[in-house]
Amino acid sequence: VEYLPAPPVITTQPQPSALTVQVGACVVLAVGASGSGLRYQWFRDTTPLASTLPTLQLENVTLADAGSYTVRVSNDGGSVTSHPVV
């Protein structure tokens, strides 16, 4: 018999769903999730980012940072992806 935890559940989506900022600004996105052994992977469009925390901080943003940001929360029971922040 193998035990797998229940898949994670996103309890708080990153907000707002659309964001306009000035070049040079700092942006913080956060997700809330429940479950055991949670792992986080942030993406800009389909590109994985270095952040593996429930919070993504972008400092001194440039035009190259424009895109759709999501986070995949996973554990040994499965994964779930957040709503995008554009």
Side-chain angles (χ1 to χ4, degrees):
V1 174
E2 184 177 343
Y3 166 76
L4 291 178
V9 174
I10 292 180
T11 56
T12 307
Q13 294 286 341
Q15 296 291 327
S17 60
L19 186 61
T20 301
V21 298
Q22 293 182 348
V23 169
C26 177
V27 174
V28 178
L29 302 174
V31 67
S34 63
S36 62
L38 298 179
R39 298 180 298 271
Y40 301 87
Q41 178 62 65
W42 287 90
F43 295 85
R44 180 179 62 239
D45 300 318
T46 58
T47 303
L49 302 175
S51 181
T52 57
L53 300 172
T55 302
L56 173 67
Q57 184 166 336
L58 304 172
E59 295 188 27
N60 196 24
V61 296
T62 67
L63 293 176
D65 293 313
S68 178
Y69 288 81
T70 57
V71 59
R72 182 185 320 138
V73 184
S74 60
N75 66 9
D76 290 343
S79 66
V80 63
T81 301
S82 71
H83 297 158
V85 174
V86 180

